[in-house]
Amino acid sequence: MSKGIKDKVAILGMGCAKFGERWEDDAEDLMVEAYTEALADAGIETSQIDAAWLSVGFDAMNIGPSGIPLAMALRLHNVPVTKVENYCASGTEALRGAAYAVASGAADIALALGVEKLKDTGYGGLPVRTRGTMYDMIGVVGSAPGNFAQLAGAYRAKHGIAKDDLKRAMAHVSVKSHANGAKNPKAHLRKPVDMETVLKAPIIAEPLGLYDCCGVSDGAACAIVTTPEIARSLGKGADLVTIKSLQLAVSNGWELQGSGWDGSYLHTTRIAARRAYEEAGVTKPREQISLLEVHDCFSITELVTMEDLHISEPGQGWRDVLDGAFDADGKIPCQIDGGLKCFGHPIGASGLRMIYENYLQLLGRAGERQRKSPPVLGLSHNLGGMPNQNVSAVAIVGLQGA
Amino acid sequence: MVGIVSFGAYVPRLRLQRAAVVQAHQWFAPGLKAHGKGERAMANWDEDAITMGVEAGRDAMPAEERRHLATLVLASTSAPFSDRQNAGVIKEALNLRDDVLTLDVAGSQKAGTGALLLALQAAADATGSTLCIASERPRARPGSEAELVNGDAAAALLLGKDPIARFVGSHSVSIDFVDHFRGHDAEFDYAWEARWTRDEGYIGIAGQAVRDTLAKLGLQGEDIAHLIVAIPASGVGEAIAKTAKIPLAALMPSLGPVLGHAGCAQPLVMLAKTLATAKPGDRILVLGFGQGCDALVFEATDRIAHHRPRRGADGWLARRKPETNYMKFLAFSGLLELERGMRAEFDQKQPLTALFRNRKTVLGLVGARDPVSGEVQFPPTSIRVGAETAAVTPREEYPLADRPARVLTYTADNLTYTPDPPSCYGMIEFEGGGRMLAEFTDVDPTAVEVGLSMRMSFRIKAIDERRAFTKYFWKAAPSEEQSS
């Protein structure tokens, strides 16, 4: 494995727009909102940005092609802008581009910004779109909940878990995230829910009920990155958040075309997590990782991800969930900001939003929801596609020297 | 000696309860009550004359025998395409060789028996065997008798040498007797008085044809062991049998109460059903009526005693789910415009270039098998999955359609648009290797579990309504009927 970029890239500033049904705002407004916050946090001017990466998941009813919409919205100084799309993992992909530019020396300061304007589609949920000519002929046009719901039956079958037990564990995931989201002013959904409500909600895709699914919203988030040296020269003090690892694993078709995958886990997440721990020098993730922001597009996704990240033992994730291990006051809080569950999932922005929370928590700036014992390493997991074919991104950030 | 070598049938799983239809029309057409008994076969939303024809074809012959097929004839008056050969789609789905003759026969209720006669001639001439399929999903105006009388079904007869039922001979008459018609672009039939049709048409023309057939072939009425009168009017079969001096016991019972009348496919469906129980030496007279008449006589040979039908008409009839929701029937028939929501707006335009390139994958469900490792993959790709190097290795074609599969993952999705919610789908794995994400059809959403055994079925994947193009692909259905 390559040496990686551990501690080569520092986060100079971050910003996050308020997520939600932003009926009055265009994607441009959301970009400006996130960018303005990040720029102030970084303490720099637009002229100091050397290159930018823009992540957007959907083309339909959104900003349109190319990096131009970002350059125009922020009036960047004709710097290179690359638009990236990697399913729902696009946000982390944008940061990867910016971080690699800095780590390579090609840019001193780079911007990663993710945005998605989903509430112009006319209905809830993600837009129905083509997945390519071949897929449209032989694939299944399923919804996102339908694709992820399949994890549940396979997970139950593999580990011999009763239907009700798994349903309760899934409900706990959502109840916990709603409790967290209620404390976050930037979250879309800010109402706590109880187990009963979650368990009795209408079924969206068997066995996922309404509260097992994250919402759909508009949003934007961004990061400005540079080298630790430049960060210091720009006056950043003792607490500097650096990137410990940024890893991406992309399905090559094995899950659906090979043999051996049983449908109960994310093959790519396991690979991305191993690589990320190696790059960050993490040997005992359950002991060393202080915070988790995972891709909780659905409760079952978060649950199996606890195992795929090698935090829970195989087949034990549901027990850890029910034991409260991932509650805000648990051993390793997961979605302390409310997660996709409460933020909703503006595709291009989500990966950066997760890192934004880890960044705030590491710097002790998370307000009412600040973790009491000071976090050292924050892991974010950003997943795109569906369990049988996906892009899994794992990013670990931490204080410099950690 | 040419004749029937094998036979098959297909009946859709849903059985619309006629009482439910009559009940819905009570306020408007109380006279329909006379047709309110029993049930009729009702195609699922994803079935049409092509998909049902494929099933009947598969029922008639195992995959390994299809390479010897030289001719494929499809008879239907309800086939989805006016210009794109419907038999040609079936040919791809059955994964036949390209060098076969395919032909659509249509235009009359006697298209089924006419196609069978043509197919028999082809089988006598050709070096390979001939498959004759008849398949119907008739449309009728809501509130009409036909809506209750019709049924959806298909049959297939494999014709060739060394038959289980020898072709004895036939007699055909063509008379422009217009008891009903459907003009070009008309949605529904226009029918004349039933009493006239019965007296002048069924008993008159058809009755005469049966008597002439016997005379032509030098047969007496009592020589006929099974008389197939595929005419949807009570008492007609008895009247014809009587005038031809065929014993009443020989008259095959109507499938009306359990299936309905499947248009031009009906004589072949009944023939397939009859062959399943016929004994060596039995003579079968099958009649097709529509602007004239075809009468064919077969004689079961000793081979029939050893012929085991696959599922057959009785097997498919036994796989049934009663349907009491008349609204669902209307929606499936395209007679009720429901609010489908914006998710249904997805443009289903089919790039025809891509369909042509991938026709074996899409229409034939043909995967690839590595001759060295035996690994099976779907869809085939240049570099096989799991390859350590970028080497493009030769692989053999590996048809998956007739291989049993089992469910690995599943869901019942209420969000995705489907004409029959919830949309059920999941990952399946084939016996012997290979897997795919598949839509499930003919399924009880609550009865799916990991491990459930499935059988592939050729179905409508989507319909591009803007361009009137039907897209087909394979779906998985529970291999055995769920208890309902």
Side-chain angles (χ1 to χ4, degrees):
Chain A
M1 189 170 161
S2 62
K3 286 180 298 216
I5 62 163
K6 184 183 180 185
D7 288 331
K8 289 180 182 170
V9 181
I11 299 177
L12 195 57
M14 289 198 80
C16 183
K18 160 105 174 101
F19 280 35
E21 290 165 329
R22 301 284 301 260
W23 306 119
E24 293 182 357
D25 297 301
D26 293 321
E28 179 191 316
D29 302 310
L30 301 170
M31 288 193 270
V32 170
E33 188 176 318
Y35 178 63
T36 309
E37 183 189 342
L39 206 59
D41 182 27
I44 60 165
E45 295 295 334
T46 297
S47 59
Q48 292 170 268
I49 291 172
D50 295 324
W53 274 259
L54 166 66
S55 56
V56 184
F58 281 87
D59 276 336
M61 285 166 282
N62 208 330
I63 57 164
S66 86
I68 294 170
L70 181 72
M72 286 183 66
L74 308 186
R75 302 299 176 192
L76 298 177
H77 293 200
N78 301 112
V79 297
V81 183
T82 305
K83 185 182 163 191
V84 296
E85 184 277 320
N86 227 346
Y87 268 142
C88 299
S90 300
T92 307
E93 187 67 299
L95 181 65
R96 210 166 66 97
Y100 282 9
V102 166
S104 74
D108 283 344
I109 299 179
L111 169 71
L113 189 146
V115 65
E116 206 80 32
K117 180 73 194 169
L118 286 175
K119 298 308 297 182
D120 281 345
T121 51
Y123 56 96
L126 296 177
V128 182
R129 62 168 167 181
T130 173
R131 291 186 195 271
T133 306
M134 191 65 185
Y135 190 95
D136 288 350
M137 290 190 289
I138 64 168
V140 174
V141 184
S143 67
N147 285 320
F148 281 90
Q150 294 169 61
L151 285 168
Y155 181 81
R156 281 202 301 111
K158 182 179 188 176
H159 300 295
I161 300 164
K163 204 166 188 168
D164 287 350
D165 285 343
L166 187 60
K167 183 82 180 162
R168 272 193 309 117
M170 282 159 39
H172 187 103
V173 166
S174 300
V175 169
K176 169 266 297 169
S177 291
H178 270 278
N180 295 347
K183 295 179 182 169
N184 195 332
K186 288 191 174 177
H188 177 184
L189 306 173
R190 302 200 57 202
K191 208 174 127 189
V193 294
D194 55 32
M195 284 290 277
E196 174 115 348
T197 307
V198 176
L199 290 171
K200 286 187 173 167
I203 294 293
I204 302 298
E206 186 62 38
L208 302 179
L210 182 66
Y211 289 94
D212 290 303
C213 307
C214 79
V216 162
S217 60
D218 304 323
C222 81
I224 296 170
V225 292
T226 187
T227 64
E229 295 73 30
I230 295 172
R232 302 244 180 253
S233 75
L234 288 169
K236 286 283 165 185
D239 286 347
L240 191 61
V241 174
T242 58
I243 296 173
K244 305 297 180 186
S245 61
L246 254 181
Q247 289 292 336
L248 203 71
V250 178
S251 292
N252 68 0
W254 171 77
E255 293 93 326
L256 208 47
Q257 290 183 302
S259 58
W261 184 62
D262 58 21
S264 72
Y265 64 98
L266 276 295
H267 178 56
T268 52
T269 296
R270 294 183 175 185
I271 295 168
R274 270 198 299 274
R275 288 184 192 149
Y277 294 141
E278 194 176 337
E279 183 177 21
V282 170
T283 50
K284 292 176 181 164
R286 198 179 167 103
E287 316 303 323
Q288 291 172 266
I289 300 293
S290 344
L291 288 172
L292 294 167
E293 283 289 325
V294 306
H295 202 91
D296 58 330
C297 48
F298 304 98
S299 57
I300 187 64
T301 322
E302 175 172 330
L303 193 150
V304 303
T305 298
M306 296 302 103
E307 298 177 20
D308 293 341
L309 292 175
H310 315 289
I311 300 288
S312 290
E313 293 297 319
Q316 298 302 313
W318 70 282
R319 287 188 200 277
D320 286 347
V321 164
L322 284 172
D323 289 346
F326 309 115
D327 295 355
D329 58 357
K331 181 166 168 45
I332 313 177
C334 186
Q335 327 302 67
I336 201 164
D337 65 344
L340 295 179
K341 176 74 266 236
C342 293
F343 269 82
H345 185 20
I347 311 300
S350 288
L352 284 158
R353 185 226 87 223
M354 298 173 186
I355 295 166
Y356 174 76
E357 179 66 11
N358 282 340
Y359 172 79
L360 292 182
Q361 291 278 350
L362 286 164
L363 294 177
R365 285 162 44 183
E368 198 191 341
R369 60 185 192 283
Q370 178 65 44
R371 173 80 165 168
K372 296 291 175 289
S373 54
V376 181
L377 292 176
L379 180 149
S380 58
H381 159 259
N382 190 196
L383 179 69
M386 40 203 157
N388 60 52
Q389 208 170 70
N390 58 76
V391 176
S392 189
V394 173
I396 299 174
V397 294
L399 295 173
Q400 196 187 25
Chain B
M1 185 168 62
V2 168
I4 298 165
V5 172
S6 180
F7 55 88
Y10 178 74
V11 184
R13 168 178 176 254
L14 297 176
R15 304 301 150 77
L16 181 62
Q17 302 302 299
R18 292 195 177 99
V21 184
V22 167
Q23 172 71 28
H25 291 312
Q26 181 73 29
W27 65 280
F28 184 76
L32 289 176
K33 207 171 174 183
H35 301 276
K37 288 206 183 86
E39 58 191 30
R40 53 152 295 180
M42 163 183 163
N44 204 337
W45 75 267
D46 58 0
E47 296 184 294
D48 65 10
I50 286 181
T51 67
M52 293 191 297
V54 170
E55 287 297 353
R58 296 170 74 197
D59 201 40
M61 58 190 311
E64 57 273 17
E65 287 173 21
R66 292 183 209 147
R67 294 207 62 77
H68 308 298
L69 210 61
T71 308
L72 169 63
V73 186
L74 170 69
S76 181
T77 64
S78 54
F81 286 95
S82 299
D83 192 346
R84 175 200 185 185
Q85 201 178 52
N86 298 285
V89 182
I90 296 180
K91 171 257 164 187
E92 299 291 353
L94 292 178
N95 194 29
L96 304 182
R97 295 185 329 213
D98 283 353
D99 57 339
V100 293
L101 169 68
T102 52
L103 186 67
D104 282 352
V105 178
S108 167
Q109 294 295 298
K110 68 177 165 72
T113 46
L116 183 52
L117 279 165
L118 273 179
L120 283 161
Q121 283 171 21
D125 300 342
T127 49
S129 51
T130 296
L131 186 64
C132 176
I133 296 175
S135 180
E136 294 273 32
R137 186 184 176 178
R139 279 166 64 83
R141 191 175 268 115
S144 65
E145 269 185 39
E147 182 182 41
L148 289 155
V149 169
N150 288 345
D152 305 326
L157 295 161
L158 181 64
L159 311 158
K161 313 260 170 8
D162 304 325
I164 56 163
R166 174 177 76 88
F167 178 49
V168 178
S170 69
H171 176 67
S172 292
V173 292
S174 178
I175 301 167
D176 191 28
F177 176 83
V178 190
D179 59 313
H180 75 280
F181 63 91
R182 188 167 77 248
H184 180 64
D185 274 357
E187 205 175 349
F188 304 110
D189 291 354
Y190 190 85
W192 214 252
E193 189 181 351
R195 293 176 61 82
W196 173 67
T197 303
R198 186 194 62 198
D199 293 350
E200 292 286 311
Y202 297 155
I203 298 173
I205 295 172
Q208 186 63 45
V210 170
R211 293 191 293 278
D212 291 347
T213 304
L214 294 177
K216 183 176 169 182
L217 299 176
L219 295 170
Q220 303 298 316
E222 67 255 28
D223 295 333
I224 301 299
H226 309 284
L227 173 64
I228 295 170
V229 181
I231 286 172
S234 62
V236 168
E238 287 81 354
I240 291 175
K242 196 174 170 191
T243 60
K245 299 194 170 55
I246 296 172
L248 266 186
L251 184 66
M252 292 306 292
S254 160
L255 289 176
V258 293
L259 189 154
H261 184 76
C264 83
Q266 192 76 357
L268 279 70
V269 172
M270 292 179 75
L271 179 55
K273 182 172 162 59
T274 305
L275 286 165
T277 52
K279 294 177 184 59
D282 282 1
R283 285 197 197 84
I284 304 165
L285 191 153
V286 56
L287 188 66
F289 179 86
Q291 298 87 49
C293 212
D294 299 315
L296 296 80
V297 177
F298 296 93
E299 184 183 314
T301 67
D302 290 344
R303 289 173 189 274
I304 203 161
H306 310 291
H307 186 82
R308 293 185 211 290
R310 288 156 77 82
R311 210 147 183 172
D314 289 327
W316 288 113
L317 277 167
R319 183 197 76 138
R320 65 184 270 279
K321 186 189 179 200
E323 180 60 69
T324 55
N325 189 344
Y326 175 58
M327 295 288 274
K328 190 189 256 191
F329 171 77
L330 288 179
F332 283 10
S333 306
L335 296 167
L336 184 66
E337 192 175 337
L338 294 171
E339 173 57 58
R340 295 188 283 193
M342 288 187 186
R343 282 190 175 78
E345 291 170 6
F346 179 72
D347 190 349
Q348 296 287 354
K349 182 174 180 173
Q350 171 64 57
L352 297 173
T353 40
L355 177 60
F356 173 67
R357 282 196 300 275
N358 297 290
R359 64 192 181 281
K360 273 192 181 287
T361 303
V362 178
L363 300 176
L365 200 71
V366 177
R369 185 176 172 276
D370 188 311
V372 181
S373 68
E375 203 169 43
V376 180
Q377 182 192 312
F378 184 85
T381 50
S382 301
I383 301 173
R384 67 173 178 85
V385 71
E388 295 295 329
T389 70
V392 177
T393 50
R395 272 158 309 149
E396 57 204 29
E397 286 185 358
Y398 189 81
L400 291 162
D402 290 289
R403 296 184 182 274
R406 65 182 189 95
V407 171
L408 291 178
T409 69
Y410 68 94
T411 189
D413 183 346
N414 290 297
L415 198 58
T416 295
Y417 167 71
T418 164
D420 187 20
S423 175
C424 296
Y425 52 92
M427 184 168 65
I428 57 166
E429 188 164 57
F430 293 96
E431 215 173 275
R435 48 171 66 185
M436 64 186 285
L437 189 65
E439 289 181 52
F440 299 162
T441 189
D442 288 353
V443 68
D444 171 1
T446 62
V448 186
E449 264 298 344
V450 172
L452 184 70
S453 69
M454 306 295 269
R455 172 188 179 276
M456 300 312 288
S457 186
F458 188 72
R459 297 292 174 115
I460 294 171
K461 178 163 173 59
I463 296 175
D464 174 3
E465 291 176 342
R466 280 170 71 184
R467 306 170 191 88
F469 188 83
T470 307
K471 296 161 83 172
Y472 298 95
F473 187 52
W474 292 83
K475 299 182 186 177
S479 48
E480 284 168 306
E481 171 63 340
Q482 308 293 299
S483 52
S484 52

